[in-house]
Amino acid sequence: MTTYSSWFRSDGRRPPILVAERLSWRVLLLGWLGLVIQGSWIAGLLAGAASLILLGAVAALHLPVPPFWIGLHLLLGLCAADIREWELRLNGLAAGPVVVAQGREAALLRLLERNPTLARTRGETAEASA
């Protein structure tokens, strides 16, 4: 079972974004590039710049680079969900309910079962706003 946080746009026309609260294997393996691939552009590029500066400083001090590189990837992989949520907040999304489910589809289904008003179609939301 995985915990998913839900994030909503203010217009309500798009489906919610679900963020899994767990280790991100993509970010663990790829580092800051994994953040960019999953859609966290700002945080990914900031982490990339910080990693280049940190690894450059480590190399200049003649310390072994691989332990710092592995530690940085582990830190980013463990904090990837929080970083993604920060990025969503920066983009103007609002936090919704937290859902526990076995997969992303099951989490979305459980979210829609709890909040049936979210299951409205785009046409119905356009008519309601007019």
Side-chain angles (χ1 to χ4, degrees), residues 46-82:
L46 285 173
S51 69
L52 289 175
I53 292 169
L54 176 69
L55 293 177
V58 167
L61 294 172
H62 302 293
L63 295 172
V65 174
F68 288 97
W69 183 74
I70 291 169
L72 182 64
H73 279 235
L74 181 62
L75 180 68
L76 287 174
L78 289 171
C79 298
D82 295 326

Side-chain angles (χ1 to χ4, degrees), residues 90-120:
L90 281 179
N91 290 329
L93 277 74
V98 175
V99 180
V100 178
Q102 289 184 343
R104 188 171 304 276
E105 291 82 15
L108 184 59
L109 181 61
R110 188 168 288 181
L111 179 67
L112 293 175
E113 284 175 351
R114 285 188 189 171
N115 303 315
T117 58
L118 296 175
R120 295 184 295 182

Side-chain angles (χ1 to χ4, degrees), residues 25-36 44 47 72-73 76-77:
W25 288 99
R26 179 184 299 155
V27 177
L28 179 68
L29 296 174
L30 300 175
W32 63 271
L33 188 59
L35 287 171
V36 172
L72 182 64
H73 279 235
L76 287 174

